[in-house]
Amino acid sequence: MQKNRGLAFFTFLVFLFLLGPLLIISVTSFEGGSVLKFPPEHLSFKWYLNIFDVQMFISTFKTSIIVSLMGNLFALVLGIPAAYALSRFDFKGKKLLDAVFISPLLIPGIVLGFSFLRYIVGAYQLPIYTALFIGHTIIMLPFIIRVISSSLSNFDFSIEEAAESLGASKVKTFFIVVLPNIKSGIMAAVMIAFLESFNNVDISVFMTGPGISTFPIQMLTYVENYFDPTIAAISVLLMVITAFFMFMVERLMGLSYFTKR
C-alpha cells in the first residue's frame, strides 16, 4: 500500500509538472487588466476578443491555413504511394528509402530550417510562399507515411489479390479496395500533419520574409512588443483545437484498427 501511495504521489507530481504551466496560462488568459499576471485580479473575455482585432493575426492565420492545407495535399499525393510501396513490397534499398522518408523527424528543426534557407531560398531564389510550401510539405511527409503505413499494416492484401484475380486492374483495385479500407488512417494522418505544419516554428522562422509570416511566428513577434494576455488567450484556443484533433485521431486510428479485425 505504501509503494502504491508513493507511486500515485509521484505520478501526481509528474502530471502537475506537465500540466501546471498549461493551467496557469489558461487562468491568466482571463485576466481583465492590461498586463499578464497570475493570479488574475478579475476575469474578462476581452483578450479573446482582442485576437480578432489584431489584423496581423488574421492575415497570418490565413497564410498558415493555406500553406498547411496545400502542403498537406501534396504530401498526401507523395505519401500514400510511398506508404503503400513500403508496406506492400520488399525490394532492394527499402530500408534506405524508409530512412530517407523519416529523416525530417530525426534532423533538428533549426538545422533543417537553415538548410531550407540556404538552398531553397538562397540558392534557388524561390518566392517565399513557394519556399514555405516546399518546406512544410517536407516536414509533413514523414507523418503522412508513418500513420498510413500503420493503417496498411492492418490491411489484408489478399483482398487486393482477390480483386485482381476477378479482373480488376492494379490501379482500379488500389482506388476501390485499398483506399476505402485505410480512409480512417488517411484522415488521421492529415490531422497530425496539419497540426505539425500549423504549429511549426523552427522551420517557418527561416522561411518567412517581409510582409509574409505564419501564425506562430506572428505570435512570437507579438510577445516581443506586448505583454498583455492576448497570447495566453490564443494559446488556450490552440490547446483546445489540438486536443480536439488528437481526440479525433485516436478515434480514427481505433476505428482503422478494429475494422480490420
Side-chain angles (χ1 to χ4, degrees):
M1 290 293 295
Q2 291 181 348
K3 290 183 179 180
N4 291 336
R5 290 177 181 175
L7 180 60
F9 180 71
F10 179 76
T11 304
F12 171 77
L13 291 179
V14 171
F15 275 100
L16 182 63
F17 176 77
L18 294 175
L19 300 179
L22 303 183
L23 294 176
I24 292 174
I25 289 295
S26 299
V27 173
T28 54
S29 68
F30 296 100
E31 165 63 40
S34 59
V35 180
L36 185 70
K37 63 177 66 174
F38 180 84
E41 294 181 356
H42 55 278
L43 303 180
S44 173
F45 285 93
K46 71 175 184 177
W47 299 112
Y48 286 88
L49 299 176
N50 186 58
I51 298 172
F52 303 97
D53 293 332
V54 181
Q55 184 58 37
M56 288 305 298
F57 285 149
I58 304 300
S59 60
T60 55
F61 180 81
K62 293 178 180 179
T63 299
S64 291
I65 289 291
I66 293 172
V67 170
S68 297
L69 290 179
M70 294 300 294
N72 211 324
L73 178 62
F74 198 69
L76 275 177
V77 172
L78 297 176
I80 292 177
Y84 175 78
L86 291 172
S87 301
R88 181 71 173 88
F89 306 108
D90 289 322
F91 51 88
K92 187 176 181 181
K94 177 179 177 179
K95 291 184 178 180
L96 177 61
L97 187 62
D98 190 33
V100 171
F101 284 133
I102 200 66
S103 60
L105 296 179
L106 303 178
I107 301 174
I110 191 170
V111 175
L112 196 61
F114 180 77
S115 301
F116 289 162
L117 174 66
R118 174 66 178 82
Y119 293 101
I120 297 179
V121 179
Y124 297 102
Q125 298 294 315
L126 295 179
I128 293 177
Y129 272 113
T130 304
L132 273 173
F133 168 73
I134 295 175
H136 281 247
T137 299
I138 291 175
I139 63 175
M140 283 190 280
L141 190 58
F143 295 94
I144 295 289
I145 292 177
R146 284 300 168 189
V147 176
I148 295 179
S149 295
S150 176
S151 183
L152 283 168
S153 66
N154 296 320
F155 178 70
D156 186 0
F157 287 102
S158 62
I159 302 175
E160 181 185 25
E161 296 172 356
E164 293 177 5
S165 67
L166 293 174
S169 64
K170 289 185 177 296
V171 175
K172 186 177 182 180
T173 300
F174 179 78
F175 281 101
I176 68 174
V177 176
V178 178
L179 284 185
N181 280 278
I182 62 171
K183 61 181 179 181
S184 298
I186 293 175
M187 294 174 64
V190 167
M191 292 183 183
I192 294 175
F194 177 83
L195 288 175
E196 171 62 22
S197 172
F198 185 85
N199 294 316
N200 182 270
V201 174
D202 45 10
I203 303 295
S204 299
V205 72
F206 288 97
M207 311 290 286
T208 53
I212 300 177
S213 183
T214 60
F215 193 65
I217 304 304
Q218 182 59 38
M219 290 175 63
L220 290 176
T221 304
Y222 191 89
V223 169
E224 293 175 356
N225 298 283
Y226 303 93
F227 198 63
D228 59 52
T230 302
I231 296 300
I234 295 176
S235 300
V236 172
L237 293 179
L238 291 179
M239 284 190 289
V240 171
I241 293 172
T242 300
F244 172 76
F245 270 63
M246 296 313 298
F247 171 76
M248 293 302 298
V249 167
E250 183 181 1
R251 294 293 300 271
L252 289 169
M253 292 305 293
L255 180 63
S256 176
Y257 178 81
F258 286 110
T259 54
K260 307 302 183 296
R261 292 295 182 261

